[in-house]
Amino acid sequence: MSIQHTVEEIMLARYGRTAQEPLTREAFAQWDRDFLFQALQGQRYGQAFCNYFGITDNILFYEGRNERALDYIQKNYLR
């Protein structure tokens, strides 16, 4: 079993998708409803999104404005 296969299995089990698959709007909407709890813990919008879905994207992770992070997510991660 290759490392890539193992990573894909972990992604599928933990996040319900593989790294190559775009996020569904339903999964994003559920996360967005739960974001308030993460915000209360001091996480930025993009940071919380990356952490929750296991995404490494430094542009999004360090974006400080929620509106810009949301636009970026919609253009790059949602189908």
Side-chain angles (χ1 to χ4, degrees):
M1 183 181 311
S2 72
I3 291 178
Q4 181 62 34
H5 181 71
T6 304
V7 168
E8 293 298 328
E9 285 183 353
I10 292 169
M11 290 288 294
L12 190 58
R14 184 167 183 191
Y15 305 111
R17 67 180 189 86
T18 63
Q20 286 76 32
E21 294 176 332
L23 295 172
T24 63
R25 294 205 176 266
E26 294 79 21
F28 173 74
Q30 178 62 46
W31 169 81
D32 193 47
R33 285 189 292 271
D34 297 335
F35 168 67
L36 178 60
F37 180 70
Q38 295 163 335
L40 292 173
Q41 294 176 328
Q43 292 189 39
R44 296 176 303 277
Y45 194 81
Q47 176 187 15
F49 177 85
C50 289
N51 289 341
Y52 183 82
F53 288 107
I55 295 170
T56 301
D57 185 329
N58 289 331
I59 294 171
L60 180 57
F61 189 89
Y62 291 106
E63 177 56 59
R65 296 190 345 207
N66 291 359
E67 299 82 23
R68 287 181 56 178
L70 177 58
D71 288 342
Y72 187 89
I73 291 167
Q74 290 174 338
K75 289 177 185 173
N76 295 288
Y77 290 103
L78 298 180
R79 55 175 148 155

